[in-house]
C-alpha cells in the first residue's frame, strides 16, 4: 500500500513549550517540541567564567527564550557559540549572542552566507522570523577544535564527509560520555539528507558516531536519548537507500517511489514528506553523483510539497 500524503496540521496542535534538561553536571539540553521544521534543540555547558552554547534557534522569539533559559541557570555570559551546521534553525539566532565567539566548520560559514536571510513561502507555511542579521561563524576550522569548560574537555569534530549536510560537526564530551549530535540524529522526526548524503550519513553513524561510546545523546531534534537512537536512525537511512534502489529499478521518479512506499515502522515519524527529498539525494548518488554534490533542490522541494497534498510544509517555529 502506498503512504498517505502528509497532513501534519490536522493532527498536531501548538507544540508544548521548550524545556531545560540537565543531562550531566553543568551540561544542559534545551529541547523544543515538537522538533518539526525549524524547531531544533540547542544545549549549553556552564563554567566558572562563562557558557558554551551549542547552536542557536530559528527565530528571534525562540532564540531570546533560549537565552532566558540560560540566564535561569547562570548569570555568566555566553562566551562561545558553536554551530553544528549551517541550517537556519541552528544559526539564524546567532546575532543575538552579543560578544560571543561563533565557531563552526569552514563549510558552515560558507553555507550560512550562501543561504542568507530566512524565508517561508513558497516552501513552508508563514513564520514570524523577527529581527534578523546575518551572523556566520567567524572562528572556523577544517577538522575540529577543542574547547574547555574549566577543566572539562569538549571536542568539536567535523564528521569528515557529507551526511546531513556537507558541513556537519558534533560536540563530544568524553568525560561525561555526552554527545550533542546536531542533525546527524533525529529522535521522533524524519531525518533529512537533501543537502548531504545518504551513504555518507550511514558511514558517519557507523564509523564515527557509534565508536564514541556515547551514553547520553542530545539530538538535533526530539527528546534526549541513549545510544539506541543511532541504530534507529541507521534503520531509516537503510530504508531510504533500499527504497531508492527499488524505485530506480522500477523506473519510478523519486516522488512516484515515495507515493508507492509503505512507510511501515517509520510512518509515525514527523515530517514524512522528507522521504521525497531523501530519495532525490539517494537517486543522485546511485547515479554516480559524489556525496554532497549539487542537485536540483527546487524540484525536490516541489515534489515534497506535492507529496504533502500540494500544500506548503507545516512550520510552527
Amino acid at each position: 500500500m502506498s503512504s498517505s500524503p502528509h497532513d501534519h496540521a490536522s493532527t498536531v496542535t501548538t507544540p508544548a513549550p521548550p524545556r531545560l534538561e540537565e543531562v550531566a553536571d553543568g551540561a544542559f539540553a534545551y529541547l523544543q517540541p515538537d522538533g518539526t521544521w525549524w524547531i531544533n534543540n540547542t544545549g549549553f555547558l556552564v563554567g566558572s567564567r562563562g557558557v558554551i552554547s551549542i547552536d542557536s534557534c530559528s527565530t528571534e522569539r525562540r532564540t531570546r527564550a533560549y537565552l532566558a533559559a540560560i540566564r535561569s541557570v547562570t548569570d555568566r555570559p555566553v562566551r562561545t557559540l558553536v554551530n553544528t551546521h549551517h541550517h537556519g534553525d541552528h544559526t539564524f539566532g546567532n546575532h543575538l549572542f552579543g560578544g560571543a565567539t561563533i565557531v563552526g566548520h569552514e563549510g558552515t560559514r560558507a553555507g550560512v552566507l550562501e543561504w542568507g536571510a530566512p524565508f517561508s513561502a513558497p516552501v513552508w507555511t508563514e513564520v514570524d522570523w523577527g529581527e534578523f542579521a546575518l551572523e556566520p561563524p567567524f572562528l572556523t576550522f577544517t577538522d575540529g577544535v577543542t574547547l574547555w569548560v574549566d577543566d572539562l574537555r569538549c571536542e568539536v569534530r567535523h564528521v569528515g564527509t557529507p551526511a546531513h549536510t556537507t558541513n556537519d560537526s558534533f560536540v563530544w564530551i568524553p568525560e561525561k560520555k555526552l554527545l550533542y549530535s546536531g542533525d546527524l540524529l533525529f529522535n521522533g522526526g524524519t531525518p533529512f539528507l537533501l543537502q548531504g548524503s545518504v551513504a555518507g550519513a550511514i558511514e558517519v553513524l557507523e564509523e564515527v558516531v557509534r565508536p564514541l561510546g556515547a551514553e547520553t545523546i542530545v539530538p538535533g531534534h526530539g527528546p534526549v536519548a541513549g545510544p539506541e537512537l543511532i541504530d534507529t536512525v541507521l534503520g531509516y537511512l537503510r530504508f531510504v537507500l533500499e527504497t531508492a534502489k527499488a524505485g530506480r529499478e522500477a523506473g519510478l521518479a523519486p516522488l512516484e517511489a515515495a507515493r508507492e512506499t509503505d512507510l511501515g515502522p517509520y510512518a509515525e515519524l514527523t515530517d514524512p514528506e522528507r522521504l521525497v527529498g531523501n530519495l532525490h539525494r539517494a537517486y543522485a548518488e546511485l547515479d554516480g553523483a559524489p556525496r554532497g554534490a549539487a542537485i536540483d533542490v527546487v524540484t525536490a522541494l516541489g515534489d515534497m510539497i506535492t507529496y504533502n497534498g500540494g500544500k506548503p510544509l507545516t512550520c510552527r517555529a
Side-chain angles (χ1 to χ4, degrees):
M1 296 289 291
S2 61
S3 60
S4 300
H6 179 31
D7 190 14
H8 189 61
S10 67
T11 58
V12 176
T13 57
T14 302
R19 68 182 187 275
L20 201 57
E21 184 173 329
E22 189 166 13
V23 290
D25 186 29
F28 295 83
Y30 183 73
L31 307 172
Q32 297 195 96
D34 56 359
T36 54
W37 288 111
W38 301 98
I39 304 177
N40 67 312
N41 295 332
T42 56
F44 62 95
L45 300 111
V46 179
S48 61
R49 297 185 59 221
V51 173
I52 293 175
S53 173
I54 298 105
D55 286 326
S56 60
C57 306
S58 59
T59 68
E60 177 188 4
R61 175 180 63 86
R62 286 185 174 274
T63 303
R64 290 192 185 280
Y66 171 47
L67 289 168
I70 296 174
R71 289 194 296 272
S72 75
V73 173
T74 178
D75 60 0
R76 298 174 182 89
V78 179
R79 300 180 66 195
T80 309
L81 170 61
V82 178
N83 287 152
T84 58
H85 61 291
H86 75 279
H87 284 164
D89 47 341
H90 300 257
T91 62
F92 283 158
N94 283 1
H95 65 102
L96 297 172
F97 281 74
T101 299
I102 306 176
V103 180
H105 186 262
E106 289 184 352
T108 300
R109 175 178 171 83
V112 169
L113 291 170
E114 182 178 1
W115 188 286
F119 63 88
S120 307
V123 181
W124 293 279
T125 53
E126 195 57 42
V127 176
D128 180 5
W129 302 101
E131 174 192 350
F132 172 77
L134 190 65
E135 190 72 72
F138 58 87
L139 177 60
T140 61
F141 58 86
T142 54
D143 299 319
V145 65
T146 300
L147 304 175
W148 295 87
V149 181
D150 298 334
D151 294 328
L152 183 67
R153 182 184 183 93
C154 305
E155 300 177 3
V156 185
R157 298 190 198 172
H158 178 246
V159 299
T161 188
H164 171 63
T165 68
T166 58
N167 55 89
D168 300 295
S169 299
F170 57 78
V171 181
W172 168 236
I173 298 101
E175 181 179 318
K176 299 182 182 295
K177 295 190 180 299
L178 171 61
L179 175 67
Y180 292 88
S181 71
D183 283 0
L184 295 169
L185 292 167
F186 288 69
N187 189 5
T190 304
F192 194 44
L193 304 136
L194 181 59
Q195 291 189 309
S197 167
V198 180
I202 292 172
E203 178 182 302
V204 166
L205 293 182
E206 288 182 335
E207 300 182 14
V208 180
V209 173
R210 184 153 51 197
L212 293 172
E215 295 179 357
T216 304
I217 297 173
V218 181
H221 299 257
V224 173
E228 70 281 351
L229 179 60
I230 298 169
D231 286 327
T232 300
V233 174
L234 277 169
Y236 176 80
L237 299 178
R238 294 182 181 121
F239 165 77
V240 169
L241 192 56
E242 291 306 311
T243 301
K245 290 176 180 177
R248 281 178 80 251
E249 290 175 1
L252 300 176
L255 175 58
E256 295 170 324
R259 283 174 158 169
E260 293 297 321
T261 296
D262 184 345
L263 293 173
Y266 308 109
E268 297 304 312
L269 297 180
T270 59
D271 303 313
E273 68 274 3
R274 292 176 181 170
L275 173 63
V276 184
N278 294 337
L279 289 175
H280 272 270
R281 173 57 62 182
Y283 271 51
E285 293 183 356
L286 291 171
D287 288 339
R291 295 177 181 180
I295 63 174
D296 188 348
V297 171
V298 173
T299 295
L301 291 172
D303 283 351
M304 290 166 61
I305 292 169
T306 300
Y307 183 89
N308 194 47
K311 299 174 295 185
L313 311 180
T314 299
C315 178
R316 294 183 175 81

